[in-house]
Each structure stands twice: as C-alpha cells, then as structure tokens.
Amino acid sequence: MNYGMADFIGGFWHYYIAAITVVAIIGIIWFLKSQTTRKLGTGEEAELMEPTWDADLKELNNPLPRWWLYLFYFLIFFSIAYLVLYPGLGKFAGIWNWTSADAYKQEKERIDAQFNAQFQPFLSKDLRVVATDPQAREIGQRLFLSYCSTCHGTDGKGAKGSRLFPDLTDKEWLFGNGDPETIKASIAYGRLGEMPPMKDVVGGEAGAKEMANYVLSLSGLPHDANLAAAGKGKWAACAGCHGENGKGNLAISAPDLTDKAWLYSGTETGIMEAIMKGRKGGMPAQLDYLGDAKVHLLAAYVLSLSQGKQ
Ligand code: HEC
Ligand code: HEC
C-alpha cells in the first residue's frame, strides 16, 4: 500500500500548510527586494549604527552585497521549482508525481531483477540438490543473516527468550520431520499458530497437571503414570488441533507433541503453562516479502544446516 502526504492531511490542513509556505516565500522575496533596492543616494553617507569600538571598529548600514542577495534569489527560485515538481506544498503531489514509496519500489525492482537472474536458476532444482551446492549455500547464508538471524541467531541455533526461537541446525523439527517441502512451507507461509487458554476445559490447575503428564508420556519423557492416565481421558479437548495421536496438524501450525522438539518448554511447568494460558507464537510468513527464489534458497540453506547431524 502506498501512503502519501495526502493520507495524513485533510482539506483544512492542506490549505493551512500550503498558505504558510506561500506567504513565507512571498515574505522573503519582499524582504530581499526591500534590501536590494536600497541604494546610497548621491552624496549620502552610510549611516553609523553603533558607536565605534576599539578605536576603529564601526558598524555601518551599507546595502547588502549584490552577489549575496542573488544567492538568496537563486535559493528562492530553487524552492519554488522544488515545490512545483515534488510533493511539499500541502497535499499537492508535484507535477512529477514523485513519492518516496515509488522510489523505493523502483530501486527494489531494479535490485531484485539483478539478483533474481542469479537466484532463479536454483528455483527449478530440487531443494536437496540446492542444499549441497556451495554457491547456493553462500547466497543462502547471506540471506539468512539479513532476514532470519534477528530471531534464529546468526548460526541458526535459535535463542531462548520470552518464547523459543527453534534451533534450525538440529535434526528435531517442530513442523514436519525435516522434509524439504515442509521447511520451505514454514518459511514461505510462516507458522502463526494460536492455542487458546484451556484451563477451564481441562479442569483447572489439577487438570492441567494431568494433561501435562500425558503430554510428557507422549514424548517418552519422565512422567507420573497415574496423572498421565487421567490426562489421556481428557485428550479429546486437544485432539481437534494436535490430532488423535498428538502428532500435530501442520495446516494450523499445531506442533507435534510426541517428539522431543519443543517450541516453549518440555517441562511439566512449561507444558502446564501452555495449557492454562494458551500460546500464540510467531514465525512470520516470508513469501510475499522475499519472493519464491529467495525462500527456496533459504529453505535449502536451513536444510543444509542440519545435514550430517544426528
Ligand atoms: C520474528 C522472528 C522470526 C523471524 C524473523 C524468522 N523466524 Fe523462523 N521461526 C520463528 C519462530 C518463533 C518459530 C517457531 C514457530 C512457532 O512459534 O510456531 C520459527 C520456526 C521456523 C521454522 C520451522 C522450524 C521447525 O522446527 O519446524 C523454520 C524452518 C524457520 N523458522 C526458518 C526461518 C527462516 C529461513 C527465516 C528467515 C527468512 C525465519 N525463520 C525468520 C521466528 C522467526
Ligand atoms: C485450537 C487448537 C488447539 C487446541 C484445542 C489445543 N492446542 Fe495446543 N497448541 C496449538 C497451537 C497452534 C500451538 C502452537 C502455538 C505457537 O506456535 O505458539 C500449541 C502449542 C501447544 C503446546 C506447546 C508445545 C511446545 O512445543 O512447546 C502444548 C504443550 C500444547 N499445545 C498442549 C495442548 C494440550 C494438552 C491441549 C488440550 C488441553 C491443547 N494443546 C489444545 C493448538 C491447539
């Protein structure tokens, strides 16, 4: 979407701002003119403005030098030309219709065209093949540093903060099993899952503890078998999103709860918190922003990060 000044100033402010600009320019021209036309009459002496200091330092009101005044006229001419050509006078767009948004777009298109020629050949190749190509890896790494490292870290190892940015270099995947197409989909469409708070549904904190133990049991982690059995009985509340067997649902970014990869926490308390308060995570979609070719190279790069790892 393009926003111009016109979106911010309505009718009144347009006239108000435009009028101030025009009046200011006319005022300056008038003032300069009054200074240009003042000449010393024949025989007239420049007036002494102040008493003399330091024996010979005097301030006289001689007319201003011409070259200096003409410099000002030039600047005024420049500002008028600018206001005619470019946006600046209220919401008048200028006859060149220049906008910073368009300038940015053109610059981006020019650079995209230049780089896409380099990126495009990889798009038709299988992600597994691209992942082993040294040149593609190099490009992928540069893209990753610019677009992904803020969240996933420069080395792709993620970071623990208010939420977990998953480690992309291990063999654990929240979404899919590391198959190239799912990785690419995670990047292209993002993973913006939302889980509502389930505290009331599972029967308060005690119920959440039972559910948490059942979730731990799904991943084969240490758990209390009695609590887990009680939790299992209530699994219907979760099955709609995480699936009958807890394997998750990629379409709504509901993670697989049976593996050892955790978005937030794999501890009893962490899981209870997820259940009671809900979770709303976010990997933002990249396809519209980066385009298919870059997403392809990034997916291949992410794939290459975990290759050869257990
Ligand atoms: C704003 C932070 C942020 C940015 C920027 C970001 N990610 Fe993510 N990414 C996440 C989060 C958070 C997740 C976990 C998903 C969730 O919360 O549901 C994730 C998940 C992923 C996954 C899925 C991992 C798995 O285990 O299945 C991949 C792949 C991924 N990101 C790659 C990328 C790439 C490549 C980029 C750069 C184009 C990128 N991400 C940019 C935050 C981010
Ligand atoms: C409406 C769909 C939905 C329902 C119902 C639901 N979840 Fe979730 N759950 C999600 C989504 C989506 C996420 C991922 C949130 C994110 O990306 O931040 C999630 C995340 C989680 C997590 C965090 C996983 C991790 O890796 O840290 C746990 C644990 C969890 N859910 C357990 C449950 C349990 C137990 C129930 C039943 C009481 C349940 N969920 C019900 C959709 C749902």
Side-chain angles (χ1 to χ4, degrees):
M1 203 173 290
N2 285 352
Y3 290 107
M5 266 317 266
D7 298 301
F8 299 106
I9 42 181
F12 170 72
W13 292 108
H14 160 63
Y15 291 112
Y16 182 78
I17 292 170
I20 290 181
T21 315
V22 171
V23 167
I25 292 176
I26 293 174
I28 292 169
I29 296 174
W30 173 82
F31 176 70
L32 280 177
K33 212 162 150 46
S34 76
Q35 299 302 305
T36 330
T37 46
R38 206 182 80 82
K39 290 201 184 81
L40 284 183
T42 31
E44 196 185 332
E45 290 273 323
E47 217 178 313
L48 188 60
M49 300 303 285
E50 291 282 345
T52 310
W53 291 288
D54 293 343
D56 59 353
L57 191 61
K58 295 183 225 160
E59 185 179 329
L60 304 173
N61 74 337
N62 272 314
L64 299 166
R66 282 296 146 102
W67 65 266
W68 194 76
L69 285 166
Y70 287 141
L71 189 67
F72 269 99
Y73 279 117
F74 170 75
L75 289 176
I76 291 173
F77 170 76
F78 178 85
S79 69
I80 293 172
Y82 181 94
L83 288 173
V84 170
L85 298 174
Y86 289 100
L89 197 62
K91 62 180 174 187
F92 173 60
I95 54 177
W96 277 357
N97 266 315
W98 183 93
T99 69
S100 52
D102 283 344
Y104 168 77
K105 211 171 129 221
Q106 276 166 19
E107 178 72 2
K108 188 171 178 302
E109 275 164 13
R110 190 179 63 76
I111 290 174
D112 279 353
Q114 186 186 334
F115 281 107
N116 274 343
Q118 205 186 346
F119 297 168
Q120 218 64 35
F122 295 110
L123 191 52
S124 53
K125 291 193 192 135
D126 187 89
L127 280 169
R128 284 186 191 78
V129 177
V130 183
T132 56
D133 183 312
Q135 196 204 344
R137 237 189 90 97
E138 206 180 292
I139 301 173
Q141 183 176 30
R142 277 204 304 273
L143 293 173
F144 192 87
L145 289 175
S146 335
Y147 300 119
C148 323
S149 58
T150 29
C151 293
H152 291 285
T154 47
D155 54 2
K157 284 188 182 297
K160 266 187 212 284
S162 55
R163 63 171 188 245
L164 190 106
F165 298 120
D167 184 346
L168 302 176
T169 69
D170 57 15
K171 281 252 151 138
E172 305 274 358
W173 296 96
L174 294 163
F175 306 102
N177 312 313
D179 62 297
E181 289 311 318
T182 310
I183 295 177
K184 187 172 173 184
S186 293
I187 301 168
Y189 307 111
R191 294 290 177 198
L192 293 166
E194 183 169 355
M195 166 160 154
M198 306 287 289
K199 192 175 174 187
D200 298 337
V201 184
V202 295
E205 201 170 330
K209 200 177 168 89
E210 294 167 356
M211 285 315 304
N213 276 278
Y214 178 59
V215 171
L216 287 169
S217 77
L218 289 174
S219 311
L221 292 167
H223 61 278
D224 180 311
N226 289 332
L227 290 175
K232 187 176 182 180
K234 288 185 247 175
W235 182 248
C238 325
C241 293
H242 291 282
E244 280 307 324
N245 47 15
K247 288 220 161 283
N249 180 349
L250 286 180
I252 55 166
S253 297
D256 185 345
L257 300 177
T258 67
D259 57 15
K260 293 200 173 56
W262 298 95
L263 209 45
Y264 300 93
S265 159
T267 64
E268 185 186 76
T269 1
I271 297 173
M272 280 174 69
E273 193 184 313
I275 297 168
M276 293 197 294
K277 296 192 186 149
R279 291 289 195 195
K280 188 166 186 266
M283 155 78 201
Q286 306 287 327
L287 187 59
D288 284 350
Y289 175 48
L290 297 179
D292 204 12
K294 281 187 190 166
V295 167
H296 199 72
L297 280 155
L298 281 163
Y301 177 69
V302 170
L303 192 62
S304 78
L305 288 177
S306 59
Q307 261 163 8
K309 298 252 180 81
Q310 287 305 312

